[in-house]
Amino acid sequence: MPSDMKGILRPSICRFRLSGFEITTILDGVSQRDGPHPMFGVDQPAEAVQRHAAANRLPPTRFEHSFTPTVVNTGRELVLFDTGNGAARRDAGVGHLGRLLGDAGYAAADIDVVVITHCHPDHIGGLVEGGQPAFPNARLVFGQVEFDAWRRGENLPESRGPTRELFMKVALPLADQATFVGPDQEVVPGIRSVEAFGHSPGHMAYHLESEGERLLLWADTTSHYAVSLQRPEWRVQVDDDKERAVATRRRILDMVATERLWAIGYHMPFPAVGAVDRTQDGYRWIPLSYQLNL
Ligand SMILES: [Zn+2]
């Protein structure tokens, strides 16, 4: 008897060290979509993006978008970056952070700080579970500009109506548990905010440093490992301020490449950790292998 087919199986938890920090990336889920065009390269002809995908051995008209929150144990505090899609999108095959956190050895109640890089649904959707705060003992950290923009509902693209509704429902009521940061501010020792506005009004990256080892958690600064790194100037449909997002992408990618930082990108292929090299007309993503385990 031939064995039955078991279906696709993906790794969904990865843990490595950044000197004294222990970092765990957790796959909240993946969604398969049409694209990369027009989501990536919305200002380009479809064929140009399709050719680019094919040159990277990627299918031209379908892609996988993955979602990867990160837990950092600094030795003093347990910090979660972003909360995944949450229960609302669990039927769509995402929103698994809560369950996988347990498999990674943590309880939701263990999380001391939840840092929200920005207020799009795939990052704030898991703030609430069953009508209750999903991380009951955590202080929340939002970028001040980001939180204010969504609270006021100003300067947002029309397409972000449902995102604002979600923000008002799950994020705004938690304001009492929150602190708000500007650019270049310490969240906990070893973790500082980096201004990365554009993808959303106050989108933030975070710089992690332990005993001289450094990593930039760039969130959604660039969200497709081939298209958006190799062609950072191509416009991205889901960037709320497309022009500013391009400038930020160039600055952040340049910083990661020049300073030889490790990087975590929320939508990079799991485990979403790597480095960046400069190429003739852009950058390329180098996935982490064993470097940080040694
Ligand atoms: Zn995102």
Side-chain angles (χ1 to χ4, degrees), residues 10-32:
R10 290 182 179 82
S12 50
I13 300 173
C14 171
R15 182 144 55 220
F16 59 94
R17 279 195 313 265
L18 187 77
S19 287
F21 288 2
E22 205 170 62
I23 301 181
T24 308
T25 58
I26 298 177
L27 186 65
D28 188 63
V30 304
S31 74
Q32 298 188 339

Side-chain angles (χ1 to χ4, degrees), residues 228-248:
S228 228
L229 263 95
Q230 294 170 10
R231 298 286 182 271
E233 71 281 7
W234 283 3
R235 301 284 193 274
V236 174
Q237 210 169 36
V238 290
D239 286 343
D240 292 341
D241 179 339
K242 293 175 180 47
E243 229 158 279
R244 181 144 194 184
V246 167
T248 294

Side-chain angles (χ1 to χ4, degrees), residues 152-180:
R152 295 191 191 118
E154 288 168 0
N155 302 322
L156 302 171
E158 209 143 288
S159 59
R160 288 294 184 192
T163 301
R164 171 133 201 278
E165 269 171 46
L166 182 71
F167 170 86
M168 300 303 275
K169 198 171 131 196
V170 304
L172 189 63
L174 299 174
D176 287 352
Q177 279 171 248
T179 53
F180 302 92

Side-chain angles (χ1 to χ4, degrees), residues 118 122-123 220 266-267:
H118 64 295
D122 50 322
H123 300 257
D220 288 17
Y266 194 76
H267 299 292

Side-chain angles (χ1 to χ4, degrees), residues 208-237:
L208 279 52
E209 181 163 8
S210 173
E211 297 159 24
E213 283 257 44
R214 300 165 64 207
L215 179 150
L216 191 78
L217 187 145
W218 73 41
D220 288 17
T221 300
T222 179
S223 295
H224 189 289
Y225 80 96
V227 181
S228 228
L229 263 95
Q230 294 170 10
R231 298 286 182 271
E233 71 281 7
W234 283 3
R235 301 284 193 274
V236 174
Q237 210 169 36

